[in-house]
Amino acid sequence: MSTVSRRAALRAAGAGVAMAGLGWPQIGLAAPAAGATDDQQADDQRVLANVTAAFAGTTATNADPAVQDKLTGLYRTAQNNLAAMVAEPTTELFTGLPLGTDDAHLTSTYLKLSQIAFATVMPLPDGSTVPTDLAGNTGVQHRVIDALGWLYDTYFGDQDAGYYGNWYNWEIGMPMHASRTLAVLHEELAAYRPDLAATYVQAMDDYLRSGKDGDVDLDSRFDTGANLADMTTNRIVQGAVLGDDARITKAISDQLTVYRTIDPYHLQHEVTDGFYADGSFIQHASVAYTGSYGIGLLSRVAATIAMLDGTGYASDAELADQVNVWMSQTFAPVIAQGWMMEMIKGRAISRTKTGYQDAAGVVESAVTLSAYAGSPGAGDLRSYVKYLHESTKVPIDPTSFTSPAAVQRYAQIVADSGTVAADLLPQEATFAFNAMDRNVHRRPGYTFALARSSSRVSKYEYMSGENLLPWFQGDGAHYLYLAGDDQSEAYGVDYVTVVEPYRLGGVTSPVEDRKTIPQLYGEQFYDNPEAGFTSSSVLQNTYVYFPLGTNDYSGGATLGSYAVAGLVQSDDAAYAAKSRGELPGDFVAYANSRSQKSWFLLDDEIVVLAAGIDDLHGRDVLTTIDSRIAAPTDDVSVTGVLRGGTRFAGAGTAHQPRWLRYANATRGNAVGYVFLTDPDADPDDDVAVDVRLREVRRSRRLVRATNPDTQITKQVFDLSVAHAADERPGALAYAIVPGADAAALGRYDGTSRGPVVVANSTDLQAVRHPQLGLVAANSFIGGTHRLGKLTIDGAASVIVQDADRGRTTIAVSDPTFGRDEIAVTVPGHRRVVTPHDGVTVRPVRGGTQLVFATRHAYGATTSVTVRGRGIG
């Protein structure tokens, strides 16, 4: 590893100015001083060598036995590609990939050429078990170079004929593969086709139509987040190929803007894509996307650090250390024992790639960054890698890593007895990612993940025939990952395939049948150019691909390892706009049901309160308490006890249940459901829970147009409560108890043991847990809300808990993101033990008013500790 000091200045229009205000240590950037041509050339050669090492390895890495399977895979892929390569191409270069109208085929063609090129530059020292016939084979390299020339002349070079289909392929995908090929074959290119690299780079510049003057444009809605990182990485590689220092320094400077923590109140270039202070990651302006685009961005920063290593552009260790923060605050919380969660994948939730495979991308980045981070950050990363290696139920496959060096380092970390496996997080922790409307709650036996939405965060993402049944994924859908389970048997693409979209766990939905975008319009988007709807237009994004909700209320507070979250269910932006007459007559939008919900994330249980369950359009409504899937041969049972003591078993309607329990004896796990006493409910109301356990067989193509037409069969269990259209608004109060047995469920009495519902209305929802000395609440409207001995002013999320030494801690958040301050009044005259700049203390008659400043807090929690207990 090489870490160098920063040079004095950047070339060309102050490229380093973009670094100002990043808010954390900066990567060292530099341009060669005047007359430093030799240094510049050495830097370019080092970048090219680093790129080659990243994809083909080095003599040192490739001699390692641990890397041989990876190298063999690269060799076989190249040989397969060569076998499919057409000797005298006319309309296709590789058999089965006809060119001219399908941009994805052209992108795949460039990918295959790069894979062949990698195999020809693999160093194969003594000890390697890989066949040597491709290594250094100039004949094969010339075939690749000639193929590049043919592709340019026939399909890529004509700017008027190109740029059909997906803009991403033309501005990022094809340039990425082509640039890598130019980089690893740069020596042979210089001798054989010295003009080809510059010709290609010029064409790639011209295809940056979302940018400006053949370069990225930081004001473009396309050139943001992970996309910008991809574009600038391509341009760094191209700069090294051409020996263009200005291109490299400009690209690095542009890329660094991606790593700036987003301040939603002071946006740079109006960009909302990126990392937020609470650990959230947003892409596509409003989509929670840690598990797809976030992984891509993480890999890009790791690749950039490695690519610039040993050069005058090299980074100081601080950037790698900053990535350490992202690992612990952004990525580790959404990985459950090696499984990347569904709720932060956008449309990728419908892909057949599993959560374990997704998490492997994070593992590779951690492995790479561990070689560059400072101490103790490097040790933390190595321990985390070893923890994931040991905890995942499906072994990590290092041959899936991009870099042979990462494969080698991974093997070294796993084998190192001095590296102790350790999670980056405690076993008991809670995370409110309010900037992306998500919650994660961790306990030793489970991890609970909750997806919300709002006027700030999209309800879902659909695009390009992916995630065809998305409508309720942001309406309180939850995912309960049980410790020790193989999560691919519980979630993943099979979950969204066999579970009805209207019956996702945690969702309240209208009883109706909806049509997918292709069913509605006969293609993968709403095509109406006259009205402003094209495949990648702003209106398509806003109303088809990833519509926002229309509710401001979505947020919550945390206190230690406990949390409360709240959501007001709403229509999406498309239905609201259609109702206002702003969309064309043939545009179809669906109205949502109504409810107000709170989740209380505790130790043994997650308490869920729902009120105002209703529909404004005369439809019946269904609230699904939970949905789980199991293999068709698994031994699954459902048991329970009703209020009168009658036992319940199997499927059917459970009237007035005290508790129900799902158990999968084959997998050794269980989930309990306790139905709590609701003080705001009519005691004569019959809570009828529909218990279903059935076998479902469906094709994975149901949720993604390009998935294989693989028929899967699963047992599907769900619990739901129906609400008829002619009934008054309904309410529910229940606790989800992971891992509970019948005896534990029987001990819940709703008064002294476990959580007690204090209020459950459309004004206030609150729970008290006597054993935890805790009370938590969401208030939904203006005015004064009384909660035991304290009062809450207006809409708020509040947690109050007894602390040690006769103290009480009060935590407050603004779930509307629009209030300047929230006042909470506690009885008696209280002295603040831990002053906070954001809390003003005011004595009032009979009590103490604590005023929490929430202006521009963006959902963050503020807490304060006062003397005295029993306040809640």
Side-chain angles (χ1 to χ4, degrees):
M1 180 183 71
S2 173
T3 302
V4 299
S5 60
R6 300 177 177 88
R7 297 178 188 168
L10 284 176
R11 186 185 285 192
V17 172
M19 288 302 301
L22 274 177
W24 41 265
Q26 304 171 6
I27 184 173
L29 291 183
T37 305
D38 291 343
D39 288 345
Q40 177 182 337
Q41 291 177 346
D43 283 348
D44 294 340
Q45 291 302 308
R46 182 58 187 264
V47 170
L48 293 171
N50 289 344
V51 172
T52 302
F55 297 103
T58 65
T59 300
T61 62
N62 294 5
D64 193 323
V67 184
Q68 299 313 301
D69 285 349
K70 171 65 179 178
L71 301 180
T72 300
L74 293 175
Y75 172 83
R76 289 174 178 168
T77 297
Q79 285 287 26
N80 290 338
N81 291 349
L82 283 167
M85 199 169 179
V86 178
E88 296 183 4
T90 54
T91 60
E92 62 182 13
L93 184 62
F94 294 98
T95 303
L97 290 176
L99 304 175
T101 58
D102 191 322
D103 55 305
H105 283 184
L106 187 54
T107 304
S108 295
T109 297
Y110 278 108
L111 169 63
K112 289 179 179 293
L113 285 178
S114 70
Q115 291 168 332
I116 297 171
F118 297 158
T120 70
V121 296
M122 278 196 302
L124 296 178
D126 292 341
S128 174
T129 61
V130 180
T132 60
D133 55 302
L134 292 183
N137 189 324
T138 56
V140 173
Q141 291 177 347
H142 288 183
R143 285 188 68 185
V144 172
I145 294 170
D146 288 339
L148 285 175
W150 180 80
L151 286 174
Y152 179 87
D153 293 338
T154 313
Y155 296 105
F156 193 76
D158 187 344
Q159 294 283 321
D160 294 330
Y163 211 83
Y164 47 84
N166 190 337
W167 73 273
Y168 176 95
N169 286 328
W170 296 94
E171 298 203 26
I172 296 176
M174 295 178 215
M176 177 173 61
H177 302 310
S179 298
R180 291 171 178 175
T181 306
L182 296 174
V184 301
L185 297 182
H186 66 279
E187 291 182 352
E188 199 59 35
L189 268 168
Y192 183 58
R193 290 285 300 271
D195 60 326
L196 190 60
T199 300
Y200 252 99
V201 171
Q202 182 59 58
M204 290 187 278
D205 286 350
D206 293 340
Y207 276 122
L208 283 176
R209 299 184 187 180
S210 67
K212 182 188 298 181
D213 300 327
D215 199 349
V216 300
D217 179 7
L218 299 183
D219 291 315
S220 168
R221 66 184 176 90
F222 294 93
D223 301 2
T224 63
N227 288 336
L228 179 59
D230 284 336
M231 292 174 173
T232 51
T233 299
N234 289 346
R235 294 181 68 78
I236 293 170
V237 175
Q238 295 157 10
V241 170
L242 298 181
D244 186 345
D245 175 66
R247 175 183 287 258
I248 296 174
T249 56
K250 170 67 161 53
I252 296 171
S253 178
D254 289 338
Q255 187 172 123
L256 288 169
T257 66
V258 178
Y259 309 137
R260 178 188 294 120
T261 300
I262 300 294
D263 179 350
Y265 302 106
H266 300 92
L267 294 175
Q268 302 298 309
H269 306 283
E270 299 303 311
V271 171
T272 57
D273 290 355
F275 296 97
Y276 286 71
D278 67 358
S280 298
F281 180 84
I282 293 288
Q283 185 72 29
H284 290 166
S286 57
V287 179
Y289 236 140
T290 315
S292 182
Y293 277 92
I295 296 173
L297 182 54
L298 181 66
S299 70
R300 289 298 168 267
V301 66
T304 297
I305 290 172
M307 183 167 54
L308 300 181
D309 182 42
T311 74
Y313 310 106
S315 70
D316 291 337
E318 289 93 334
L319 179 59
D321 290 341
Q322 174 60 31
V323 181
N324 237 18
V325 176
W326 296 338
M327 290 293 295
S328 61
Q329 293 185 355
T330 299
F331 292 97
V334 296
I335 298 175
Q337 291 188 317
W339 178 270
M340 181 62 70
M341 297 177 182
E342 279 70 21
M343 67 174 184
I344 36 76
K345 289 185 181 179
R347 67 186 188 273
I349 191 176
S350 64
R351 296 173 186 168
T352 56
K353 186 177 182 181
T354 72
Y356 294 120
Q357 292 170 310
D358 290 324
V362 177
V363 173
E364 180 175 7
S365 293
V367 168
T368 299
L369 290 164
S370 69
Y372 301 95
S375 181
D380 292 341
L381 288 175
R382 289 192 295 269
S383 291
Y384 184 55
V385 167
K386 196 165 189 177
Y387 161 79
L388 291 175
H389 167 79
E390 294 182 358
S391 65
T392 181
K393 297 299 292 184
V394 175
I396 295 168
D397 179 11
T399 64
S400 68
F401 295 175
T402 298
S403 171
V407 177
Q408 182 186 46
R409 290 189 190 112
Y410 177 77
Q412 292 169 345
I413 291 170
V414 169
D416 180 15
S417 60
T419 297
V420 178
D423 198 350
L424 290 173
L425 306 171
Q427 284 190 319
E428 296 188 359
T430 200
F431 302 88
F433 297 113
N434 284 332
M436 63 178 183
D437 280 343
R438 299 294 189 266
N439 285 82
V440 173
H441 191 64
R442 291 166 51 105
R443 287 299 184 267
Y446 69 90
T447 299
F448 179 82
L450 174 67
R452 301 178 272 108
S453 57
S454 64
S455 56
R456 303 168 297 276
V457 177
S458 297
K459 283 181 172 285
Y460 57 81
E461 185 193 49
Y462 157 83
M463 194 185 294
S464 302
E466 294 189 290
N467 200 22
L468 290 162
L469 309 173
W471 305 290
F472 305 102
Q473 290 169 358
D475 279 339
H478 71 246
Y479 305 85
L480 178 60
Y481 305 97
L482 300 176
D485 199 13
D486 179 353
Q487 305 304 336
S488 63
E489 296 291 336
Y491 290 110
V493 64
D494 290 350
Y495 179 79
V496 293
T497 297
V498 298
V499 175
E500 297 172 28
Y502 319 99
R503 289 178 180 263
L504 299 176
V507 162
T508 294
S509 66
V511 178
E512 64 181 4
D513 290 325
R514 297 187 176 189
K515 293 183 178 181
T516 67
I517 295 299
Q519 289 171 339
L520 288 171
Y521 307 120
E523 53 190 319
Q524 293 180 349
F525 58 95
Y526 175 62
D527 189 16
N528 189 341
E530 294 79 10
F533 285 87
T534 61
S535 63
S536 58
S537 65
V538 172
L539 291 180
Q540 196 80 231
N541 292 345
T542 302
Y543 298 124
V544 178
Y545 291 159
F546 32 89
L548 295 167
T550 53
N551 56 297
D552 291 335
Y553 197 113
S554 178
T558 62
L559 177 55
S561 63
Y562 303 106
V564 59
L567 171 69
V568 174
Q569 191 171 344
S570 71
D571 294 320
D572 66 17
Y575 185 81
K578 181 71 184 256
S579 299
R580 296 191 298 266
E582 297 172 0
L583 297 179
D586 64 339
F587 185 95
V588 178
Y590 293 106
N592 207 351
S593 299
R594 294 293 185 269
S595 70
Q596 288 164 234
K597 293 185 179 181
S598 294
W599 294 263
F600 302 85
L601 311 181
L602 307 172
D603 284 330
D604 297 329
E605 59 277 312
I606 299 100
V607 176
V608 184
L609 302 184
I613 301 172
D614 201 8
D615 188 77
L616 304 181
H617 304 278
R619 299 167 297 182
D620 294 343
V621 175
L622 190 72
T623 297
T624 301
I625 294 169
D626 199 10
S627 295
R628 302 197 66 81
I629 66 173
T633 57
D634 283 1
D635 180 8
V636 174
S637 62
V638 182
T639 56
V641 173
L642 307 184
R643 289 290 177 194
T646 303
R647 295 191 177 277
F648 178 90
T653 302
H655 291 278
Q656 297 287 60
R658 283 185 56 198
W659 59 264
L660 297 168
R661 181 175 183 265
Y662 164 91
N664 186 329
T666 304
R667 305 205 63 79
N669 58 50
V671 183
Y673 310 91
V674 176
F675 295 85
L676 302 171
T677 301
D678 185 345
D680 293 317
D682 187 333
D684 295 327
D685 285 348
D686 176 18
V687 177
V689 179
D690 183 20
V691 182
R692 301 198 312 173
L693 180 62
R694 59 202 182 102
E695 190 170 284
V696 177
R697 180 176 174 83
R698 290 188 183 134
S699 170
R700 287 172 175 162
R701 194 169 289 175
L702 180 71
V703 295
R704 183 171 179 255
T706 56
N707 276 349
D709 189 16
T710 304
Q711 296 289 326
I712 58 165
T713 303
K714 295 287 183 181
Q715 292 185 74
V716 179
F717 159 78
D718 57 54
L719 297 178
S720 62
V721 177
H723 180 80
D726 58 356
E727 294 179 353
R728 66 180 183 275
L732 282 172
Y734 57 90
I736 301 172
V737 191
D741 59 20
L745 294 172
R747 287 193 290 270
Y748 283 85
D749 60 14
T751 57
S752 60
R753 197 278 175 191
V756 178
V757 179
V758 177
N760 185 21
S761 71
T762 55
D763 293 348
L764 179 70
Q765 292 175 332
V767 164
R768 176 180 288 108
H769 198 298
Q771 285 74 41
L772 299 179
L774 178 147
V775 62
N778 284 318
S779 51
F780 293 94
I781 62 173
T784 299
H785 304 275
R786 299 193 180 278
L787 182 61
K789 300 175 183 178
L790 59 80
T791 60
I792 304 168
D793 174 42
S797 296
V798 178
I799 306 176
V800 180
Q801 186 176 28
D802 292 339
D804 59 359
R805 291 182 290 178
R807 302 174 179 182
T808 300
T809 301
I810 303 164
V812 173
S813 175
D814 171 22
T816 72
F817 287 50
R819 301 192 63 188
D820 289 342
E821 60 183 32
I822 293 173
V824 175
T825 303
V826 298
H829 296 291
R830 309 283 179 171
R831 186 167 70 85
V832 174
V833 179
T834 56
H836 191 290
D837 290 341
V839 181
T840 301
V841 181
R842 299 172 180 167
V844 295
R845 184 176 180 180
T848 303
Q849 187 178 71
L850 306 171
V851 181
F852 295 78
T854 54
R855 177 176 171 78
H856 288 185
Y858 215 65
T861 297
T862 300
S863 60
V864 66
T865 299
V866 299
R867 290 201 179 279
R869 303 183 71 175
I871 291 175

